[in-house]
Amino acid sequence: MNRTWLWPYVAYVVGFGLIPMLATFYLVGANFRGVLHGFPINIFNISLINTLVFSISVAVFAVLMALALAVRVDSLPDKWQTPLSLLILLPFTIPFTASTLVWRTIFDARYGPIYYVFSILHLKPIDMITVPNFSIWGVIIVGIWSSVSFAYLIILSGFKSINKELKEISMVDGATMSQYYSQIVIPYSFKSILTAFLITLVLSMGNFDTPFILTQGGPGYSSTTLPLLVYLMMFFMGNFSGGEVMAAVLTLMATVPAVLLLLVLRGERGWVRMPSIKMPDLAFHTILWAVAAIILMFLIMPVYWMFLIAFRPNNLDFTFPPLLYPTHVTSQYFLEALRESVPYIMTSLAVGLVAATISTIFAGAASYIMAKRKSYSLLLLSIYLYSLPATSFIFPLFVFASSVGLINTWWILMMGTPIFTITMVAWTMFNIYQDVPDVYEEIAQLEGTSSTYILFRLIMPITMGSWAASFILSFIFNWHLLFYPLVLTETPWQFNFPPTGAQTVTIFAALAIGNQVVDWGLLASAALIVALPVMILSYIVMGRLLKGFSFGGIKG
């Protein structure tokens, strides 16, 4: 097979990934004197520490929770594994913007559920948003909540790759369940666990949405992270050159775990010696259920709270103790938010569909050629670009869009945002194609068929489920995006064509923060509008996700 369908993918990742990343460093060098003038070194130091504390804390605690849940689920009979996994994956279906809006109300210092929990425990209430010493920890809690599900998927896929006969043999030899997991499952799945940690770490380094929505980096700069500081320096401090430096520093920081991730994925499946844990099976299952119940309550409560306050009168929001069950139901706020969100939804739909199409077709075709030709260098570049934060690419793209008049248009989002999904699709589809027998291509080539025919008439039908899952996941990830739309757009769509105005549904949800003191119903409804389409689509492909979807490594 020739490389015809490889070049569109290569052209895209080079044009909208590699070149913008390298251009960011070029811009820093070209404007170095301007960078030094008025550079806020104190704010940079605070943001650097916050970024490290946030990303490491989120990665450690999210992976530990995910590991406990994966052990709990894997040790259950098959018929119970899917229902419990669906509950665990619930936060995965909620975009960062929507979930963080809901957490703002949960953290409310007078009427939020967290305040009520502190009062029950006779502890002094802590304001997790407006007190400088605690605001970063509020951001960390939300970051952990939103990261557990993805880490769970990766770890569970590692567990599922272990031969089931090992469990039967260990049971025959008299091993307890605790010994089986501590001596066999976890040691042999260590690569998946480490992969989950590194992916969570590198994605947390680039997390812009959570601190922006929850605290706006405040009070002062006590919860400002480097991605947020990039945005603040661009649009609020008027220091474009300083923002370029922050983006370059963040890229270098993210490169360290990204390179480690590449080494882990490329390496052979390893085994790590773990201390043996021996306890009666009854005690093991009791402890697992207790830990899983606490984590599940942590994961499910914000979603339940979002639905609760979105569909009740707002006079019920500001009561103490808070009402934790529905007494009156109203659709007023949801319908009001839905009417106001129409131009934002239309933009997100249009951009998401185009971005998902580009990602699926370009990466779906290219990854087959990469897999069959063993093009590991291009795959590793794709995974590296996937790992980088949005700030690594934004400055050159912003300059380009400004120079050609594409700011505040659908076109710049359609061109720029697939960089976050096209590399993900290439990674996952590469592993899937590794399992497709070469015989299909060999027979087709003997008959003289073209590469296009082989890809789209033979290979695509065989792997149609993976193509569909890739398309839906690409759409979901694009629907989540906030940083690119925030930087590259200014107004909502004006119901015209060619379209002017390109703010997305995530920006609509962020604008609801202005009503958070008096209108929790509108805030939760805005969050629900962002979340609901993604929740529905996520559950359509959940079966594919629960099979691992090949995020655990690089085969071959």
Side-chain angles (χ1 to χ4, degrees):
M1 173 175 287
N2 62 45
R3 298 174 180 265
T4 303
W5 279 99
L6 186 64
W7 299 122
Y9 174 80
V10 172
Y12 184 86
V13 296
V14 170
F16 287 91
L18 187 60
I19 290 177
M21 183 200 70
L22 296 176
T24 298
F25 290 95
Y26 171 78
L27 291 173
V28 171
N31 300 310
F32 191 70
R33 291 187 177 181
V35 169
L36 296 178
H37 178 70
F39 186 77
I41 188 66
N42 291 336
I43 300 174
F44 169 76
N45 290 336
I46 294 171
S47 301
L48 177 62
I49 293 172
N50 285 340
T51 301
L52 291 173
V53 171
F54 171 75
S55 55
I56 293 173
S57 299
V58 168
V60 169
F61 287 103
V63 168
L64 288 176
M65 290 183 182
L67 179 60
L69 291 171
V71 172
R72 173 67 284 171
V73 170
D74 189 63
S75 62
L76 291 173
D78 291 346
K79 66 178 181 179
W80 298 112
Q81 291 187 14
T82 298
L84 189 57
S85 291
L86 293 177
L87 292 177
I88 294 169
L89 294 174
L90 200 55
F92 180 75
T93 68
I94 312 293
F96 285 157
T97 306
S99 60
T100 308
L101 285 174
V102 176
W103 275 98
R104 285 182 69 96
T105 66
I106 293 174
F107 283 142
D108 187 272
R110 294 186 62 188
Y111 303 109
I114 294 294
Y115 181 86
Y116 181 50
V117 170
F118 277 106
S119 67
I120 291 176
L121 299 176
H122 302 288
L123 298 174
K124 183 179 179 181
I126 299 175
D127 191 333
M128 303 296 290
I129 296 179
T130 60
V131 176
N133 291 335
F134 295 105
S135 58
I136 187 62
W137 295 103
V139 176
I140 288 171
I141 290 172
V142 180
I144 293 170
W145 180 86
S146 60
S147 302
V148 170
S149 299
F150 192 49
Y152 166 81
L153 276 174
I154 298 172
I155 295 172
L156 187 65
S157 70
F159 284 11
K160 296 299 183 185
S161 66
I162 295 175
N163 195 323
K164 291 184 178 180
E165 291 181 359
L166 288 176
K167 183 175 183 179
E168 297 172 1
I169 294 171
S170 65
M171 296 298 106
V172 170
D173 290 341
T176 64
M177 290 294 289
S178 59
Q179 288 177 306
Y180 169 66
Y181 280 98
S182 63
Q183 293 294 290
I184 297 177
V185 176
I186 293 177
Y188 279 99
S189 301
F190 188 76
K191 181 177 178 179
S192 294
I193 297 170
L194 187 57
T195 298
F197 174 80
L198 290 172
I199 290 179
T200 305
L201 178 65
V202 75
L203 293 181
S204 297
M205 283 185 176
N207 188 326
F208 166 82
D209 304 20
T210 301
F212 176 75
I213 298 294
L214 190 67
T215 64
Q216 289 81 55
Y221 294 96
S222 60
S223 60
T224 299
T225 57
L226 287 177
L228 180 55
L229 187 58
V230 170
Y231 177 76
L232 294 176
M233 294 193 73
M234 283 181 68
F235 294 102
F236 292 94
M237 299 181 187
N239 190 342
F240 198 85
S241 298
E244 292 168 354
V245 172
M246 301 301 170
V249 169
L250 187 57
T251 300
L252 291 175
M253 286 176 57
T255 294
V256 175
V259 170
L260 291 176
L261 175 63
L262 297 180
L263 294 175
V264 170
L265 294 174
R266 192 67 185 94
E268 296 294 328
R269 178 171 179 163
W271 178 84
V272 176
R273 183 178 295 277
M274 302 284 292
S276 178
I277 300 174
K278 185 176 182 179
M279 66 175 67
D281 286 350
L282 179 60
F284 177 72
H285 286 293
T286 301
I287 293 172
L288 271 183
W289 273 123
V291 172
I294 294 171
I295 299 174
L296 281 172
M297 185 176 296
F298 170 66
L299 296 179
I300 295 171
M301 174 60 190
V303 183
Y304 169 77
W305 183 252
M306 175 176 66
F307 279 91
L308 180 66
I309 63 177
F311 291 104
R312 74 181 184 188
N314 60 7
N315 63 302
L316 300 179
D317 294 334
F318 305 104
T319 60
F320 190 85
L323 287 172
L324 300 178
Y325 55 88
T327 57
H328 297 81
V329 177
T330 178
S331 60
Q332 172 188 346
Y333 307 109
F334 181 78
L335 293 177
E336 181 178 345
L338 186 61
R339 285 193 295 270
E340 295 176 357
S341 67
V342 170
Y344 304 89
I345 291 175
M346 294 302 295
T347 298
S348 289
L349 282 173
V351 172
L353 290 172
V354 171
T357 301
I358 291 173
S359 298
T360 306
I361 293 178
F362 284 12
S367 56
Y368 179 79
I369 300 172
M370 290 159 58
K372 296 308 177 182
R373 288 182 174 267
K374 310 297 182 184
S375 301
Y376 292 112
S377 57
L378 181 55
L379 176 64
L380 294 175
L381 174 63
S382 301
I383 297 174
Y384 174 69
L385 293 175
Y386 169 76
S387 302
L388 294 181
T391 52
S392 300
F393 317 114
I394 191 62
F395 280 96
L397 188 63
F398 179 81
V399 171
F400 165 73
S402 299
S403 63
V404 297
L406 291 178
I407 292 292
N408 202 35
T409 67
W410 287 7
W411 318 123
I412 190 61
L413 295 180
M414 290 175 177
M415 288 189 293
T417 58
I419 191 60
F420 304 108
T421 51
I422 195 170
T423 47
M424 176 196 71
V425 173
W427 179 8
T428 56
M429 293 295 286
F430 180 95
N431 284 335
I432 290 166
Y433 286 139
Q434 289 282 71
D435 296 328
V436 175
D438 294 337
V439 64
Y440 297 105
E441 180 182 342
E442 293 169 357
I443 293 173
Q445 287 178 336
L446 288 174
E447 295 178 356
T449 55
S450 66
S451 298
T452 301
Y453 183 93
I454 294 173
L455 277 170
F456 296 104
R457 298 296 298 273
L458 293 180
I459 304 303
M460 186 178 178
I462 295 170
T463 55
M464 180 56 71
S466 297
W467 281 70
S470 297
F471 180 86
I472 294 175
L473 281 176
S474 297
F475 179 85
I476 289 171
F477 275 67
N478 193 277
W479 187 276
H480 284 211
L481 294 178
L482 175 62
F483 186 72
Y484 262 40
L486 203 61
V487 172
L488 298 173
T489 69
E490 299 167 349
T491 60
W493 180 44
Q494 302 301 307
F495 294 96
N496 58 353
F497 196 87
T500 54
Q503 288 183 332
T504 60
V505 71
T506 50
I507 294 180
F508 168 76
L511 294 174
I513 294 174
N515 298 321
Q516 53 126 350
V517 175
V518 295
D519 228 331
W520 283 11
L522 279 176
L523 188 148
S525 295
L528 188 58
I529 286 170
V530 176
L532 206 53
V534 176
M535 293 175 71
I536 294 170
L537 288 174
S538 294
Y539 278 96
I540 292 175
V541 296
M542 201 61 74
R544 184 62 182 165
L545 292 176
L546 291 175
K547 293 178 182 178
F549 207 58
S550 302
F551 261 112
I554 299 175
K555 300 177 183 177

